């Protein structure tokens, strides 16, 4: 796991020496991602930079930028290819009848395998990789850059392209720090952030910086770029309708999941696991224990308030599988002390990820550089309440037979009685032209309503909501695969733009690599291809639970879903009150922000108005701090 940077100087405005100076600056900005080594490479057109966290082949021979035998191709790469050993074997031999030459490897790294695969197959090599990655390969002969990002967007790739010039990085702060961005804030992105507490790819919060989408590759040549989609979950997941016995499907899921976990345990440094005590993390620890000798290091953060603690459930799994369990006890005092510093470390503004920062820090302290995490399990195996709610909504089509005015009136009455955030959403749902997944899903992911977001942002009304755009591109609209449609929506929105982004930025602050067994391409394509009848949402994650059988005890399967959280409402009104008010003041001078509306929301929240949740306030605080820290306009 590493950090990558690059500058293409098409117009020759910048000398090679100047670009190298900028590259050192960019490498320094992301040095936390790769503390083991840093390097640069440059010619008359391009300068590449890399910071390395050594996981596979710890020798200096595998340092980057990495150059092929003949000096034609140079690669910078961030990620892991889990099947690199199989690919290495295939690339080092010549199939009968093939014109391809065998590749002679000089390292044991997966970096060299990526380069060899690209030299052998071009962009088609991407279909061979099982892993998480973003990489860039420069062809010194054709003067062409090839860039690719993994299927789910686990590893980031930010870039700015203008007038033939291209600058890219694993983190947005490196591009901002290079001085090659206008640092102009995007009005549409801020609206997106206000409404959904994130900015949906390919946009970022900066006007002239984008992020390459998952499953895409980019080519730069002669001052032009072309972006191509090489994988998406709709096109690449088949459809399994009838004729399969449920017992066969369960065994297939178990085999795929165990294979995924086994792949992600390959490492030349110690590997551990985050263990919350929930179904997903428990399943991963169970699979790890079945495939290794010796105790697994497991990490659990427990809070001093027992109503927020999951320590009991994590302890059950740790004892059942004899792990070397690290229970990290965190007090409110400790978190409150660290919180200002953690917020300052964010590469991209967001309200989640504080817990990931804390558990990553503690895992690194224990000498672990790689951990497995259960991220993706809820999205793939229908773990959120959204799945059953949307399923019920689309089955109860009789609601749409009611006159819209009567639905609107009912929503107004209900909201008038309850007057909280949930009743506001119900009011919105009942006001929709049609109650179906396409219209209802975006509302389930809102933090602030469109009306409130417009009141905060001066004179702005979005042309098209980004989630509606994503749904248009992903829905298969087949009744027997609606649960997979819901999964794809979660994968393309919340998972990509909140969970994966926060996991990457918070773990890599400590040079800790997080691997995600639930986002294995073979497992994902199979589960998304399953007919709804095999998933049965009467119990969340039933298919996964049934597939693993007695590997998960009843106390874990039937426990209430909690999730590690903090008493944010109390903190914001008391311990963090002064901190919040100080940070919110930064928004006073942001030209596009209606600061009076910020003051109004903050006042309502302090007075206990149930329509203003803590998350609305906290995300504004984080945004204000990020704008100020990065000096954006």
């Amino acid at each position: 796991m590493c950090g990558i940077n690059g500058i293409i100087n098409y117009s020759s405005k910048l000398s090679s020496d100047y670009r190298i100076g900028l590259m050192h600056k960019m490498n320094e900005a992301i040095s936390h991602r790769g503390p083991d080594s840093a390097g640069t490479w440059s010619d008359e057109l391009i300068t590449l930079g890399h910071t390395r966290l050594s996981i596979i082949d710890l020798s200096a021979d595998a340092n980057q930028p990495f150059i092929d035998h003949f000096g034609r191709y140079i690669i910078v790469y961030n990620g892991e290819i889990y099947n690199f050993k199989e690919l290495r074997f295939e690339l080092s031999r010549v199939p009968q009848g093939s014109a391809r030459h065998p590749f002679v490897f000089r390292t044991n790294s997966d970096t060299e395998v990526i380069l060899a695969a690209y030299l052998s197959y071009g962009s088609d090599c991407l279909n061979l990789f099982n892993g998480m990655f973003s990489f860039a390969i420069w062809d010194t002969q054709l003067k062409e850059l090839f860039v690719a990002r993994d299927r789910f967007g686990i590893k980031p790739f930010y870039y700015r392209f203008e007038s033939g010039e291209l600058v890219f990085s694993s983190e947005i702060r490196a591009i901002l720090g290079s001085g090659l961005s206008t640092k102009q804030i995007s009005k549409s992105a801020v609206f997106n952030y206000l409404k959904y507490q994130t900015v949906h790819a390919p946009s970022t919060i900066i006007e002239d910086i984008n992020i390459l989408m998952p499953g895409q590759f980019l080519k730069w040549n002669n001052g032009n770029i072309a972006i191509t989609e090489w994988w998406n979950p709709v096109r690449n997941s088949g459809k399994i309708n009838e004729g399969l016995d449920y017992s066969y499907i369960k065994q297939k899921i178990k085999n795929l999941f165990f294979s995924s976990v086994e792949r992600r345990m390959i490492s030349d440094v110690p590997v551990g696991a985050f263990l919350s005590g929930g179904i997903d993390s428990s399943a991963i620890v169970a699979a790890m224990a079945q495939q290794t000798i010796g105790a697994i290091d497991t990490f659990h953060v427990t809070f001093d308030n027992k109503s927020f603690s999951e320590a009991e459930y994590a302890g059950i799994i740790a004892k059942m599988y004899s792990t070397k369990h690290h229970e990290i006890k965190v007090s409110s005092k400790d978190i409150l002390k660290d919180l200002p510093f953690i917020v300052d470390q964010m590469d991209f503004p967001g309200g989640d990820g504080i817990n990931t920062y804390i558990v990553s820090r503690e895992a690194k302290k224990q000498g672990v550089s790689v951990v497995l995490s259960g991220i993706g399990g809820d999205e793939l195996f229908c773990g959120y309440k959204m799945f059953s709610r949307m399923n019920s909504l689309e089955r109860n089509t009789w609601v749409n037979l009611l006159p819209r005015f009567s639905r609107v009136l009912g929503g107004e009455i209900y909201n008038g009685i309850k007057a909280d955030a949930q009743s506001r959403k119900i009011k919105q749902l009942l006001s929709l032209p049609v109650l179906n997944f396409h219209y209802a899903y975006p509302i389930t992911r809102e933090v602030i309503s469109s009306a409130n977001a417009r009141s905060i942002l001066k004179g702005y009304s979005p042309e098209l909501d980004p989630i509606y755009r994503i749904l248009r591109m992903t829905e298969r609209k087949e009744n027997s695969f609606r649960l997979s449609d819901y999964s794809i929506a979660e994968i393309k929105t919340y998972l990509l733009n909140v969970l994966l982004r926060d996991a990457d930025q918070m773990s890599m602050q400590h040079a800790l690599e997080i691997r995600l067994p639930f986002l294995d391409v073979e497992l994902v394509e199979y589960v998304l291809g399953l007919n709804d009848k095999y998933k049965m949402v009467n119990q969340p994650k039933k298919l996964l639970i049934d597939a693993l059988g007695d590997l998960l005890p009843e106390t874990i399967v039937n426990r209430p879903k909690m999730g590690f959280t903090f008493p944010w409402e109390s903190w914001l009104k008391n311990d963090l009150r002064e901190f919040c008010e100080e940070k919110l003041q930064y928004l006073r001078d942001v030209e596009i922000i209606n600061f009076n509306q910020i003051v109004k929301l903050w006042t309502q929240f302090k007075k206990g108005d149930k329509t203003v949740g803590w998350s609305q306030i906290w995300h504004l605080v984080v945004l204000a701090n990020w704008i100020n820290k990065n000096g954006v306009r």
Side-chain angles (χ1 to χ4, degrees):
M1 195 67 64
C2 310
I4 64 175
N5 292 311
I7 302 170
I8 293 183
N9 182 36
Y10 181 61
S11 62
S12 300
K13 292 178 182 176
L14 308 175
S15 69
S16 178
D17 288 344
Y18 186 74
R19 276 186 278 122
I20 291 172
L22 287 184
M23 191 52 59
H24 286 310
K25 192 175 181 180
M26 292 176 73
N27 278 354
E28 180 61 29
I30 59 170
S31 59
H32 50 275
R33 297 184 70 92
D36 296 328
S37 73
T40 63
W41 183 93
S42 192
D43 69 8
E44 73 279 6
L45 270 182
I46 190 171
T47 303
L48 298 172
H50 188 266
T51 63
R52 185 183 181 199
L53 173 61
S54 303
I55 301 294
I56 302 293
D57 187 347
L58 309 184
S59 72
D61 291 339
N63 286 346
Q64 300 178 46
F66 186 90
I67 307 171
D68 80 311
H69 282 291
F70 304 104
R72 175 175 172 177
Y73 297 94
I74 298 91
I75 182 174
V76 287
Y77 154 57
N78 170 31
E80 301 292 346
I81 304 298
Y82 303 120
N83 61 335
F84 80 97
K85 290 184 177 180
E86 300 96 297
L87 293 176
R88 177 190 170 96
F89 175 76
E90 291 299 324
L91 291 163
S92 63
R93 57 189 287 272
V94 181
Q96 190 171 2
S98 172
R100 181 174 60 80
H101 295 288
F103 197 91
V104 179
F105 291 90
R106 68 181 192 270
T107 73
N108 293 312
S109 69
D110 56 342
T111 305
E112 193 173 14
V113 170
I114 292 176
L115 194 54
Y118 179 71
L119 268 57
S120 298
Y121 301 108
S123 62
D124 289 342
C125 71
L126 299 171
N127 296 302
L128 303 175
F129 300 150
N130 187 325
M132 54 181 182
F133 54 84
S134 66
F135 64 81
I137 298 174
W138 177 247
D139 183 335
T140 60
Q141 184 173 308
L142 295 180
K143 305 300 181 186
E144 181 175 87
L145 185 75
F146 177 81
V147 170
R149 193 178 184 202
D150 66 67
R151 295 168 178 87
F152 305 104
I154 301 170
K155 293 291 103 186
F157 187 91
Y158 295 99
Y159 70 96
R160 178 184 186 267
F161 175 73
E162 188 172 332
S163 302
E165 315 286 344
L166 181 70
V167 55
F168 64 83
S169 180
S170 296
E171 296 191 6
I172 203 169
R173 78 183 91 191
I175 299 176
L176 294 175
S178 72
L180 299 176
S181 166
T182 62
K183 289 192 174 184
Q184 180 68 47
I185 201 165
S186 165
K187 208 167 188 179
S188 62
V190 173
F191 186 87
N192 195 197
Y193 178 87
L194 292 173
K195 191 173 177 182
Y196 294 115
Q197 64 185 258
T198 188
V199 180
H200 290 83
S203 300
T204 74
I205 205 155
I206 301 298
E207 189 71 55
D208 62 353
I209 299 177
N210 288 324
I211 187 166
L212 191 66
M213 291 292 283
Q216 288 186 344
F217 66 79
L218 177 153
K219 283 187 177 182
W220 181 99
N221 183 278
N222 198 32
N224 300 301
I225 63 169
I227 296 176
T228 304
E229 183 180 75
W230 64 273
W231 188 91
N232 75 54
V234 176
R235 185 182 69 240
N236 291 86
S237 56
K239 297 180 178 65
I240 303 169
N241 285 288
E242 305 290 344
L244 287 183
D245 184 75
Y246 189 56
S247 61
Y248 170 85
I249 290 174
K250 289 191 297 180
Q251 188 60 48
K252 179 74 172 178
I253 295 291
K254 183 177 180 181
N255 292 344
L256 288 171
F257 180 65
F258 269 54
S259 295
S260 174
V261 171
E262 183 181 23
R263 289 188 191 104
R264 283 156 181 79
M265 293 174 68
I266 296 172
S267 173
D268 293 332
V269 297
V271 178
F274 289 158
L275 178 59
S276 69
I279 290 171
D280 300 330
S281 63
S282 299
I284 289 170
V285 170
M288 291 176 74
Q290 300 291 307
Q291 301 179 84
T292 189
I293 298 172
I296 303 159
D297 280 284
T298 53
F299 300 91
H300 176 82
V301 172
T302 181
F303 197 52
D304 52 7
N305 186 331
K306 288 189 176 181
S307 62
F308 294 96
S309 177
E310 300 178 284
E312 174 190 353
Y313 302 106
I316 291 170
I317 293 296
K319 184 176 181 181
M320 183 175 180
Y321 291 106
S322 303
T323 75
K324 185 180 177 182
H325 193 50
H326 305 268
E327 188 174 290
I328 304 152
K329 295 183 178 179
V330 182
S331 69
S332 298
K333 185 178 179 180
D334 291 336
I335 296 173
L336 291 167
K337 179 183 176 182
D338 291 342
L339 207 51
F341 178 78
I342 297 173
V343 171
D344 254 4
Q345 302 311 299
M346 290 184 178
D347 178 56
F348 203 105
D352 291 330
I354 307 297
N355 53 333
T356 304
Y357 182 96
I358 293 169
V359 71
S360 296
R361 180 184 63 192
E362 298 305 319
K364 192 68 176 184
K365 284 181 181 178
Q366 298 300 324
V368 174
S369 291
V370 179
V371 292
L372 274 58
S373 165
I375 291 173
D378 283 311
E379 289 78 10
L380 189 59
F381 286 100
C382 309
Y384 296 129
K385 289 181 180 179
M386 180 276 297
F387 285 91
S388 58
R389 288 172 178 169
M390 288 296 155
N391 199 44
S392 175
L393 176 71
E394 295 211 309
R395 291 182 184 279
N396 291 310
T397 54
W398 62 268
V399 178
N400 288 313
L401 299 177
L402 296 173
R404 189 179 179 188
F405 77 87
S406 65
R407 288 192 277 115
V408 171
L409 179 60
E412 292 280 3
I413 293 171
Y414 182 73
N415 186 52
I417 295 170
K418 296 286 288 182
D420 58 17
Q422 190 63 33
S423 65
R424 173 186 61 79
K425 286 192 175 185
I426 291 173
K427 173 187 170 182
Q428 284 180 267
L429 288 169
L430 291 173
S431 301
L432 292 171
V434 180
L435 257 73
N436 61 18
F437 173 65
H438 182 87
Y439 283 106
Y441 175 73
I443 293 174
T444 68
R445 280 294 172 203
E446 283 184 2
V447 176
I448 293 178
S449 68
S450 293
N452 277 344
R454 281 193 295 269
S455 70
I456 292 172
L457 206 58
K458 291 179 182 177
Y460 180 77
S461 184
E463 294 180 6
L464 180 64
D465 187 290
I467 293 186
Y468 285 120
R469 171 180 52 80
I470 292 166
L471 293 182
R472 284 181 182 179
M473 297 166 58
T474 57
E475 275 193 286
R476 293 184 288 190
K477 298 178 181 177
E478 298 177 46
N479 289 335
S480 56
F481 291 90
R482 294 305 283 160
L483 294 178
S484 289
D485 284 345
Y486 306 161
S487 286
I488 291 169
E490 287 287 279
I491 288 168
K492 300 287 278 186
T493 57
Y494 182 63
L495 177 70
L496 171 63
N497 299 293
V498 177
L499 297 182
L500 294 180
R501 180 181 288 157
D502 285 344
D504 178 80
Q505 70 171 343
M506 292 304 193
S507 64
M508 291 307 292
Q509 281 294 325
H510 307 286
L512 182 79
E513 175 174 304
I514 293 182
R515 297 179 176 180
L516 310 174
F518 285 106
L519 295 184
D520 182 271
V521 58
E522 294 178 10
L523 177 64
V524 170
E525 288 184 354
Y526 186 79
V527 175
L528 291 182
L530 288 173
N531 188 297
D532 286 357
K533 71 176 185 178
Y534 298 118
K535 297 180 179 178
M536 296 176 290
V537 293
N538 56 307
Q539 179 185 13
K541 303 183 199 173
K542 180 168 175 56
L543 179 56
L544 176 63
I545 292 166
D546 289 351
L548 296 180
D550 58 6
L551 290 175
L552 296 178
E554 286 294 317
T555 48
I556 299 300
V557 169
N558 296 319
R559 57 159 288 194
K561 186 176 178 65
M562 293 173 64
F564 184 72
T565 187
F566 304 120
W568 285 107
E569 184 167 353
S570 173
W571 282 357
L572 265 60
K573 290 179 178 178
N574 298 289
D575 303 80
L576 291 174
R577 181 168 177 163
E578 186 176 332
F579 174 80
C580 291
E581 290 179 342
E582 176 194 339
K583 300 303 178 184
L584 289 175
Q585 284 295 320
Y586 294 150
L587 296 177
R588 180 186 292 276
D589 298 323
V590 178
E591 186 178 345
I592 62 174
I593 296 289
N594 179 0
F595 188 69
N596 289 335
Q597 186 63 22
I598 302 291
V599 173
K600 181 181 176 182
L601 285 173
W602 176 235
T603 303
Q604 287 177 291
F605 172 74
K606 288 188 293 183
K607 289 182 176 179
D609 187 332
K610 292 181 180 180
T611 65
V612 183
W614 67 264
S615 62
Q616 296 180 29
I617 301 299
W618 181 243
H619 284 84
L620 289 169
V621 170
V622 172
L623 176 65
N625 187 77
W626 189 88
I627 288 173
N628 182 67
K629 179 178 172 60
N630 289 282
V632 302
R633 297 188 293 119

